[in-house]
Amino acid sequence: MTEVRYVYAVTRPFDGAGATLHAGPRGVAGAPARTLAHDGLLAVLSDVPAEEFSDGALRARLEDLDWLADTARGHDAVVSALNAVITPLPLRLVTVCLDDDGVRRLLDSGREEFTRALERLDGRVEWGVKVYARASEDPPGPPGARDVRADRVAPVDAGHPGARDDGRPQGGRPATGRDYLKQRMRRRDAAEGVWAQADAVSRALHTELSRYAEAERVHRPQDPRLPGAARGNVLNAAYLVPRENGEAFADQVRRLTPPGTGVRVELTGPWAPYSFADTTAVPGIEGGGAK
């Protein structure tokens, strides 16, 4: 079987790299991860089937959300194992080289950017904060997510869409057309109120948390089509924090989350600094990866 190289991350060489990966989880396509050292840099990669990661195959697979989710989980499993012992520079999803020489060329061509990024990110981790306008049918957050207000959010809020005036869930059809229109208007007004509250919470949280972080990124709201994704995402932000300050940052999120109902705040991390791995050294997927 012909294989190509799937590259997860670049790091500086470190003691125990082989043992860390050997003891860690398997990566993309169920393949074990290994290292390739070259002139002061270390690439972490897997040997994966060429027929699955060729240009043509990737163009089709990148439209498959389930495949993307599986690939992202394998990618993150390896990067997270690295992040437990060193700060890696994660490369973009589906960075593929034809062979080991292609990986060396990637390290050579991006050496200056990789080195600067590793210096900038050394000793730092990423924390994620999401704010949702909560609906009672939303699924729970992903594994590892901390629902900051889970104990203070009612399953169905009084005045929330899907609730009666007395707070009990709606049941049965409206008696008249006028009752139906009144019900629809109440639901619309309640939904608008929840979204307005979520927006206000998002703005206040982001302003305050940015003061505790060295850098921040606000991403597009999470796509509800992704497996396990909840609807109603208002804020999807990442914060770069020194590793030793992580728990203090998490405490700030808890402190700044206001009491009340209808809004859910989700804290995740610490992650490898994906959102801050700014580099143009890896070509885009559309161009065939780092072939």
Side-chain angles (χ1 to χ4, degrees):
M1 178 178 63
T2 304
E3 293 179 320
V4 294
R5 311 299 183 253
Y6 184 105
V7 189
Y8 301 95
V10 174
T11 76
R12 296 187 180 94
F14 64 99
D15 293 338
T20 296
L21 296 175
H22 180 74
R26 288 183 172 258
V28 169
R34 64 181 177 90
T35 62
L36 189 155
H38 180 61
D39 286 350
L41 291 175
L42 193 71
V44 180
L45 58 99
S46 285
D47 303 313
V48 297
E51 62 268 21
E52 188 174 344
F53 288 89
S54 66
D55 287 350
L58 285 176
R59 290 191 187 96
R61 288 182 178 277
L62 291 174
E63 301 298 322
D64 183 342
L65 293 180
D66 289 333
W67 183 87
L68 273 178
D70 287 342
T71 301
R73 281 191 288 268
H75 184 104
D76 183 63
V78 173
V79 173
S80 294
L82 290 169
N83 193 52
V85 295
I86 195 172
T87 302
L89 176 65
L91 300 187
R92 68 179 66 191
L93 195 68
V94 196
T95 296
V96 179
C97 297
L98 289 177
D99 51 26
D100 284 5
D101 284 341
V103 178
R104 294 184 183 97
R105 288 192 294 271
L106 171 65
L107 294 177
D108 283 335
S109 64
R111 179 172 306 280
E112 185 175 341
E113 287 193 59
F114 291 152
T115 301
R116 282 202 307 266
L118 286 168
E119 290 173 352
R120 176 171 52 85
L121 298 175
D122 187 38
R124 289 151 178 84
V125 292
E126 175 176 327
W127 287 84
V129 176
K130 293 185 176 71
V131 177
Y132 297 90
R134 181 153 182 151
S136 60
E137 67 272 17
D138 282 348
R146 310 182 195 183
D147 190 343
V148 178
R149 295 186 40 249
D151 58 334
R152 288 181 284 178
V153 179
V156 179
D157 302 331
H160 187 278
R164 294 183 185 270
D165 289 342
D166 61 1
R168 292 182 289 113
Q170 286 281 0
R173 294 183 178 182
T176 67
R178 176 175 293 183
D179 290 340
Y180 171 78
L181 291 176
K182 289 172 64 177
Q183 182 185 87
R184 288 291 300 271
M185 290 177 66
R186 283 197 300 269
R187 290 183 177 181
R188 182 200 63 189
D189 292 345
E192 288 176 353
V194 170
W195 278 90
Q197 184 183 9
D199 181 70
V201 170
S202 297
R203 292 175 184 274
L205 265 176
H206 182 63
T207 297
E208 291 298 320
L209 293 177
S210 295
R211 299 175 182 174
Y212 294 95
E214 292 188 358
E216 70 283 333
R217 295 282 190 277
V218 177
H219 301 299
R220 289 181 297 179
Q222 192 173 43
D223 188 342
R225 296 175 300 168
L226 293 174
R231 293 186 295 275
N233 185 209
V234 178
L235 176 68
N236 181 12
Y239 302 89
L240 187 68
V241 178
R243 192 181 291 267
E244 64 273 16
N245 294 347
E247 283 307 313
F249 179 84
D251 287 342
Q252 289 296 334
V253 176
R254 288 186 281 267
R255 183 183 68 81
L256 294 167
T257 299
T261 58
V263 177
R264 178 164 66 89
V265 178
E266 180 182 282
L267 173 68
T268 62
W271 308 107
Y274 286 101
S275 300
F276 306 93
D278 304 319
T279 175
T280 60
V282 180
I285 293 169
E286 295 80 2
K291 301 280 189 180

